[in-house]
């Protein structure tokens, strides 16, 4: 593809018109919701681009902002913000009665909403504060033998690595990282790389469903067949996937899957979900779930019912749009983004181009400039991107 130099104004126009369309992340001025509008019902009835136009009107982002970092923190729509506000007011009207009564019951129903979202049973869902907490619960409770190996990659998020390091230190196990290609070329390449990296003493495998650094979509379902045959516990860091692509845990085959509510799910901050397959629950028993998986128990202690109920609202909000519609939209936009960014002289795209392993994350490496300088220059233009190491 022929390279060309693009002016500052052209770059900003491109960013606004292409990448920023993802889930409506270039916000429009919002004074208030249309009179009498029930957002979830409206979203359910809309088709095509109309869905995302309506979604844009629900975001509270500054009108002058081009927001391209949902991978760190997603902007909660008005529907979710209002739900948290209303539940907080209700809680404070009669804290004890509401917390262990009406609102406590609503909080517990979020486990069922999450189960519907992921196509699993509510009994296998635990509500956490974020992905890191979910993975750390596993790392702190899983028992290994000295010399057992924990396998992961060199592209994992630090929050996922912490739990593995703790697990290795606690049990005298070893931690090994697979060197990942940048960019990956195909699903077959990734599957073979994982297969060939497994050793006889490999007991745990942790992979990101969508890799933060490159946006690689890991072929979890195919890899789970390998780990199941070899008796390896397969843990998936799902921080970047749900809300961006459709995640069917009932089909996927992961033993453990942890995610956050505050990224692509567009939920309240400090909310999260972890799924633990029924077949491995006897092996994973952190003190947090000693009294069971319920949203509130003696071992969990008092929870923030308002934000957890808000997470349920966010899940319902996305399901009303349609998870297939969202995935179709992000794939289209990321393909367009990769094509246009590839035309800019001095930028190397390190995200996969194959649709089967690509995602909404498009990452570039600067060949002629410092990435921190470019990051700051974009921020000075109110264009918010993620700075990668």
């Amino acid at each position: 593809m022929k390279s060309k130099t693009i002016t500052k104004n052209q770059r900003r126009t491109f960013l606004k018109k292409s990448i920023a369309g993802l889930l409506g992340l270039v916000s429009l001025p919002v004074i208030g919701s249309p009179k009498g509008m029930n957002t979830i019902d409206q979203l359910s009835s809309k088709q095509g681009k109309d869905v995302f136009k309506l979604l844009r009107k629900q975001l509270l982002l500054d009108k002058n902002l081009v927001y391209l970092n949902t991978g760190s923190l997603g902007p909660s729509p008005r529907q979710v913000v209002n739900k948290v506000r209303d539940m907080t007011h209700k809680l404070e009207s009669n804290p004890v009665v509401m917390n262990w009564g009406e609102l406590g019951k609503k909080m517990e129903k979020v486990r069922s909403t999450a189960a519907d979202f992921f196509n699993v049973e509510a009994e296998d869902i635990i509500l956490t504060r974020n992905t890191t907490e979910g993975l750390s619960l596993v790392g702190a409770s899983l028992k290994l033998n000295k010399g057992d190996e924990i396998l992961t990659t060199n592209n994992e998020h630090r929050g996922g690595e912490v739990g593995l390091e703790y697990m290795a230190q606690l049990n005298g196990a070893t931690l090994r990282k697979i060197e990942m290609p940048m960019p990956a070329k195909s699903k077959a390449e990734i599957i073979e790389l994982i297969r060939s990296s497994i050793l006889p003493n490999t007991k745990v495998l942790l992979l990101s469903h969508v890799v933060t650094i490159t946006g690689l979509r890991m072929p979890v379902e195919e890899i789970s067949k390998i780990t199941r045959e070899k008796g390896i516990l397969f843990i998936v860091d799902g921080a970047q996937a749900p809300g961006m692509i459709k995640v069917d845990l009932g089909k996927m085959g992961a033993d453990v899957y942890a995610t956050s509510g505050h990224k692509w799910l567009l939920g309240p901050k400090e909310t999260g979900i972890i799924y633990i397959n029924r077949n491995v629950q006897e092996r994973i028993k952190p003190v947090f779930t000693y009294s069971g998986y319920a949203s509130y128990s003696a071992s969990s202690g008092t929870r923030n019912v308002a934000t957890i109920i808000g997470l349920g609202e966010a899940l319902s909000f996305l399901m009303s749009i349609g998870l297939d519609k969202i995935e179709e939209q992000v794939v289209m936009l990321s393909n367009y983004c990769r094509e246009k960014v590839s035309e800019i002289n001095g930028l190397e795209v390190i995200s996969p181009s194959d649709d089967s392993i690509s995602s909404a994350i498009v990452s570039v490496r600067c060949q002629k400039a410092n990435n921190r300088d470019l990051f700051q220059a974009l921020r000075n233009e109110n264009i918010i991107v993620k700075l990668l190491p």
Side-chain angles (χ1 to χ4, degrees):
M1 186 176 290
K2 187 177 180 180
S3 294
K4 63 184 179 182
T5 301
I6 296 179
T7 67
K8 175 179 172 182
N9 286 339
Q10 286 174 319
R11 280 195 296 271
R12 186 170 177 84
T13 299
F14 156 67
L15 283 165
K16 281 189 171 181
K17 290 186 176 179
S18 59
I19 326 172
L22 175 60
L23 286 184
L25 293 185
V26 176
S27 66
L28 301 178
V30 179
I31 306 303
S33 298
K35 192 172 182 179
M37 181 175 104
N38 181 308
T39 308
I40 289 181
D41 289 343
Q42 289 275 332
L43 286 168
S44 300
S45 66
K46 295 293 182 182
Q47 299 295 324
K49 293 181 180 179
D50 290 340
V51 174
F52 298 97
K53 287 179 180 178
L54 181 57
L55 174 54
R56 279 198 292 270
K57 293 178 181 179
Q58 284 296 306
L59 300 179
L60 304 177
L61 292 169
D62 186 285
K63 65 181 180 181
N64 295 315
L65 201 64
V66 178
Y67 193 80
L68 302 175
N69 193 6
T70 301
S72 289
L73 287 175
S76 292
R78 183 178 298 275
Q79 186 96 358
V80 173
V81 174
N82 289 349
K83 176 64 74 170
V84 174
R85 177 202 62 198
D86 293 346
M87 294 301 98
T88 300
H89 286 190
K90 199 160 194 175
L91 172 67
E92 301 306 337
S93 71
N94 193 343
V96 168
V97 171
M98 285 297 169
N99 192 79
W100 285 284
E102 179 185 341
L103 298 192
K105 292 175 182 177
K106 287 180 183 292
M107 176 174 68
E108 179 60 20
K109 286 181 180 178
V110 174
R111 293 177 66 218
S112 296
T113 304
D116 291 341
F117 188 96
F118 290 110
N119 189 30
V120 291
E121 298 296 324
E123 289 76 12
D124 303 329
I125 293 288
I126 303 167
L127 300 175
T128 64
R129 294 182 299 173
N130 48 56
T131 306
T132 299
E133 180 174 71
L135 295 175
S136 294
L137 291 176
V138 177
S141 61
L142 191 65
K143 302 302 180 187
L144 298 175
N145 295 318
K146 188 174 182 179
D148 285 347
E149 179 183 83
I150 303 164
L151 185 63
T152 188
T153 79
N154 66 326
N155 284 175
E156 300 307 314
H157 188 275
R158 185 61 188 149
E161 289 182 331
V162 167
L164 296 184
E165 290 172 2
Y166 183 87
M167 190 193 309
Q169 186 177 34
L170 192 68
N171 293 282
T174 59
L175 177 61
R176 183 164 57 92
K177 297 182 180 181
I178 304 167
E179 189 80 19
M180 297 296 290
M182 271 193 210
K185 302 298 183 185
S186 68
K187 183 184 286 189
E189 175 191 26
I190 297 301
I191 294 170
E192 183 52 36
L193 177 60
I194 300 300
R195 186 197 306 273
S196 63
S197 298
I198 293 173
L199 299 176
N201 65 328
T202 303
K203 302 301 179 184
V204 177
L205 173 66
L206 180 139
L207 300 173
S208 291
H209 190 178
V210 171
V211 178
T212 302
I213 294 176
T214 63
L216 166 69
R217 186 194 313 202
M218 197 68 68
V220 172
E221 185 176 350
E222 291 85 348
I223 292 169
S224 72
K225 293 174 183 177
I226 299 171
T227 56
R228 197 175 302 115
E229 288 173 359
K230 296 180 179 294
I232 296 169
L233 183 75
F234 187 18
I235 304 171
V236 179
D237 179 339
Q240 296 293 343
M244 175 212 285
I245 58 176
K246 186 173 182 179
V247 178
D248 186 340
L249 293 179
K251 180 182 178 184
M252 196 170 289
D255 294 312
V256 177
Y257 192 99
T259 191
S260 295
H262 60 254
K263 296 180 186 289
W264 301 89
L265 290 176
L266 309 182
K269 283 57 186 171
E270 204 177 46
T271 55
I273 298 163
I274 185 168
Y275 158 79
I276 303 179
N277 188 295
R278 198 79 51 89
N279 296 329
V280 301
Q281 288 179 9
E282 283 300 312
R283 296 178 60 191
I284 302 170
K285 290 188 172 182
V287 65
F288 183 76
T289 60
Y290 181 77
S291 304
Y293 281 16
S295 56
Y296 167 78
S297 72
S299 53
S300 76
T302 302
R303 311 296 300 275
N304 189 330
V305 294
T307 56
I308 292 174
I309 293 169
L311 174 61
E313 187 75 6
L315 296 173
S316 297
F317 186 87
L318 293 176
M319 285 190 285
S320 69
I321 298 170
L323 304 181
D324 290 319
K325 284 183 187 176
I326 293 171
E327 181 168 344
E328 181 182 356
Q329 177 81 349
V330 302
V331 168
M332 180 271 292
L333 287 166
S334 62
N335 285 340
Y336 181 69
C337 176
R338 277 196 306 274
E339 177 187 343
K340 293 301 181 182
V341 168
S342 296
E343 296 176 4
I344 300 175
N345 188 29
L347 294 181
E348 177 192 1
V349 178
I350 60 172
S351 297
S353 57
D354 184 335
D355 280 353
S356 68
I357 55 170
S358 65
S359 69
I361 296 175
V362 178
S363 300
V364 298
R365 180 159 39 203
C366 299
Q367 296 173 321
K368 298 182 178 180
N370 181 280
N371 64 344
R372 186 172 293 277
D373 292 340
L374 180 56
F375 166 81
Q376 191 57 54
L378 289 169
R379 177 164 288 193
N380 291 343
E381 293 291 326
N382 284 328
I383 300 170
I384 307 304
V385 299
K386 185 178 180 68
L387 179 64
L388 297 172

